[in-house]
Amino acid sequence: MLYIVNMNNTYTINTDQEILTLPYFTLNHGKPFIEYIHGNSAGRYIVNGQGNLIYFASITDGDEDVSIKPEYRKLVDAEVVSCPRDIDGRMEMEHLWELCRDWLKTVVAFGSDSELTAATSYAVMTWFAWRYDSMPYLRFIGDYGTGKTTALRALSAICYRSLNISGVISAPSLFGVVNAVQGTLLIDEADFKGAGIESQIVKILNHGYTRGVSIIRFNRKNEPQTFQAFGPKILATRLPFIDAALESRCLNIKMTPRSTEALDELNKQSVVKRSQAIASGLLYWRLKSAEMEDDWKVFDSGYSNPQRGYAPRVQQLAVPLFDCTPTGRIREVEQYFDVVNLTYLETQNNGVEAQVRRILRKELNEMNHRLTLAQLYRQLSYNCRMKNSSR
């Protein structure tokens, strides 16, 4: 058990350690080591020091002050980046998980218990993303007025270091802030159709699924810079993505027209305080988990990686969520991924790429070497034509 000791001085990082210092947290050998919390009066740091969690007022690395800069504090004040208000080690993980589920149920109208449970496990997983080498994306999909934005706001409050991105941002700023925060990226109205900032966001989504893949960009001096985009991402879109690879990385929750009651709940101060308590508890377990073995799971349910005949890609998406689901809720996550697997297989067999490949093979077998796009289009299934014509 870790204990919190109150202090009010400066912590100096040992330069012999393998340290990665970012504005809001520090990793030691890839594990959470220092976390910034944004209290009502002033920010503080929680350092995991030899089994104790200790408060410090500032952080130095040798002679350099690496405490958070004012511009990053302002991002928290503006609610662009979410930040725990404190740390709380009094709650067990299973209780925290259920609090997350109750919170989401209060402010988001899910279509089924399995979707609610999957979203809860995803939110919990964001605090332990450093333990995984690949990461699915959670997506709320539906037309205008279906509660997608409300769902993103609700998840933002309980996910680790949520970064809320809008279209009003330049490409250099986008890459810089994603690289600096390295938390949970949330993008509303993520229907990308053109160039500009949309294409830059697509690059982040295409490169942020697997750990260790860097985005390389050249600065004004024509010098190469690398940016890390790996981490959990929550999206809201009206349509599926055209790119099949990107589409296959998404865990979907379909939204239908809702009332404004959930949004009203989300604005109540008492409800907001509930989310702050959840974040404080999950921060404790994030730091505590750094002391665990590499094969440690958030819930020691004895349930191994899902072995239900899922397609390899679905299996990859499922593992982190199963790890972050308590035993009593495993069946609900299974039900969710059974649907994900069926949808994935249907897309593999009858999606536009699969149909085009079959049409081309047929035409080649029939020695037809001239095929116009119009002829190809007419041979696609009706559903496939309708789905892709809306682009």
Side-chain angles (χ1 to χ4, degrees), residues 106-109 144-151 153 256-268:
T106 298
V107 296
V108 182
Y144 297 116
T146 55
K148 302 189 301 297
T149 299
T150 301
R153 282 188 59 192
T256 56
R258 310 287 161 88
S259 69
T260 60
E261 293 179 3
L263 184 59
D264 294 338
E265 285 291 324
L266 194 55
N267 292 326
K268 291 181 179 177

Side-chain angles (χ1 to χ4, degrees), residues 182-357:
Q182 294 194 22
T184 306
L185 180 62
L186 292 95
I187 309 175
D188 199 3
E189 298 298 337
D191 295 282
F192 312 118
K193 297 180 180 179
I197 194 65
E198 292 87 354
S199 65
Q200 305 306 314
I201 292 175
V202 169
K203 287 181 182 179
I204 288 174
L205 296 178
N206 283 331
H207 290 79
Y209 173 73
T210 304
R211 184 183 299 280
V213 179
S214 299
I215 299 174
I216 300 176
R217 290 176 57 87
F218 286 83
N219 61 21
R220 293 179 179 178
K221 298 180 180 179
N222 206 32
E223 299 168 336
Q225 288 183 297
T226 59
F227 298 89
Q228 298 298 319
F230 174 74
K233 297 170 180 62
I234 304 176
L235 316 170
T237 70
R238 291 183 293 112
L239 296 169
F241 294 121
I242 294 176
D243 184 271
L246 179 55
E247 180 67 20
S248 71
R249 296 166 187 165
C250 295
L251 300 175
N252 294 320
I253 294 178
K254 187 171 179 58
M255 306 296 284
T256 56
R258 310 287 161 88
S259 69
T260 60
E261 293 179 3
L263 184 59
D264 294 338
E265 285 291 324
L266 194 55
N267 292 326
K268 291 181 179 177
Q269 190 60 33
S270 59
V271 176
V272 171
K273 287 183 178 179
R274 285 171 56 194
S275 69
Q276 292 173 350
I278 291 169
S280 297
L282 288 170
L283 179 63
Y284 169 83
W285 282 96
R286 172 179 165 85
L287 283 167
K288 182 177 175 65
S289 70
E291 300 180 352
M292 307 302 182
E293 299 296 331
D294 290 341
D295 60 352
W296 177 83
K297 293 179 173 59
V298 179
F299 292 101
D300 188 15
S301 61
Y303 191 91
S304 61
N305 292 343
Q307 302 288 340
R308 298 175 58 82
Y310 295 152
R313 171 53 62 88
V314 177
Q315 177 89 1
Q316 188 181 39
L317 299 178
V319 167
L321 267 71
F322 274 84
D323 284 354
C324 295
T325 304
T327 306
R329 298 290 186 176
I330 285 290
R331 180 56 190 147
E332 293 171 11
V333 175
E334 287 179 339
Q335 291 171 343
Y336 176 79
F337 275 99
D338 287 347
V339 175
V340 171
N341 191 59
L342 287 174
T343 303
Y344 178 81
L345 294 176
E346 172 65 20
T347 301
Q348 288 290 93
N349 294 327
N350 295 305
V352 61
E353 291 187 9
Q355 290 190 38
V356 168
R357 285 195 297 268

